[in-house]
Structure formats: C-alpha cells, structure tokens
Amino acid sequence: MSVDAATAEGVRSTIARYAQALDDGRTDDLVATFCPDGVCELPGFGTFTGHAEIAEAFARWRPVKPQRHLVANTALAARSVDEVDAVSDLVFTVLDKGAWSIVMVGRYHDTFRRVGDQWLIARRATRFEGDS
C-alpha cells in the first residue's frame, strides 16, 4: 500500500526529531517520539519497552561530545491507514579532537503508528553493519 505525502512528511519529521533529540541529549523529547507502549531494540544494549524503560536507557547514554545521527534513504510502506513501516540508513558520527569520524553505520527498521495528529514510533529495531 502506498503512503501519501502528508503521512510521509509526518514519519520523516518524527525520524528527524528523534535523531536531533538523541544527539542533543534531550531524553524527554526522544521518548516523546515513541508510542507509550513503543519498543526500541538496540543490538548489544537490549530491548526497551514503554516510555519508562526507554527513558531510563537513553538517560544513561547522553552524549559527552558532539555527535550526529545522519538518517537518509528512508523507504516507506503502509501497513494500514494508521501504521507505516520505514527502513532508513543510519550513519553515526562523533566530533573528536576537531574532526568528525564515522563511528558506525546501520539501518533503522521502524513501524510508526498514527496517534492523534502525530506519527510515533511503535517499534524501532536498529541494525548495525557487521551485526549478525
């Protein structure tokens, strides 16, 4: 099922808000991009379900130096009028000693759910290149 322009913009806006909140260490704003029962899977770190678990996990990982999660090539597919799957490429960079370095490359495998007038993350499974 195809995704209309308004839905695509809503999903991409949530992806951007997540990345910017993560890079800025704004845990509450990051958590707000998830559904209340949302799930976040991070290889090597665990699976976190619900706002409280997601907040607790990300509060421990606040950035200690400038970082950027660059998200691109997002492909969307509608599951229904209220659910959309998205797969996005991810490049994670960190500024160290005056130079930006790529730390890891991967993909987000997401399911978004319409909640009111927003598209929120129902499930995010991050996969890093080199992971089995």
Side-chain angles (χ1 to χ4, degrees):
M1 186 183 308
S2 64
V3 175
D4 64 62
T7 297
E9 179 57 31
V11 168
R12 289 188 174 111
S13 175
T14 300
I15 292 169
R17 288 186 297 115
Y18 170 93
Q20 291 174 5
L22 178 58
D23 291 336
D24 294 344
R26 293 181 284 112
T27 303
D28 290 344
D29 292 341
L30 180 144
V31 170
T33 64
F34 283 86
C35 295
D37 61 346
V39 176
C40 182
E41 297 176 32
L42 288 167
F45 297 99
T47 299
F48 309 96
T49 303
H51 281 178
E53 283 187 17
I54 294 168
E56 182 180 342
F58 281 92
R60 294 190 308 255
W61 304 322
R62 288 196 177 169
V64 294
K65 51 179 94 171
Q67 66 180 38
R68 290 294 179 263
H69 285 77
L70 308 173
V71 184
N73 304 325
T74 300
L76 305 174
R79 286 182 172 216
S80 70
V81 295
D82 292 322
E83 281 197 328
V84 172
D85 288 329
V87 177
S88 305
D89 291 332
L90 161 69
V91 177
F92 174 54
T93 64
V94 173
L95 180 63
D96 189 31
K97 299 177 184 169
W100 287 94
S101 299
I102 295 174
V103 176
M104 62 185 74
V105 175
R107 281 211 168 122
Y108 291 134
H109 296 264
D110 299 324
T111 299
F112 286 84
R113 186 179 311 136
R114 186 192 317 261
V115 178
D117 63 349
Q118 296 186 80
W119 285 94
L120 300 180
I121 303 166
R123 179 174 212 85
R124 166 158 281 180
T126 305
R127 298 292 177 255
F128 300 114
E129 289 300 317
D131 286 348
S132 301

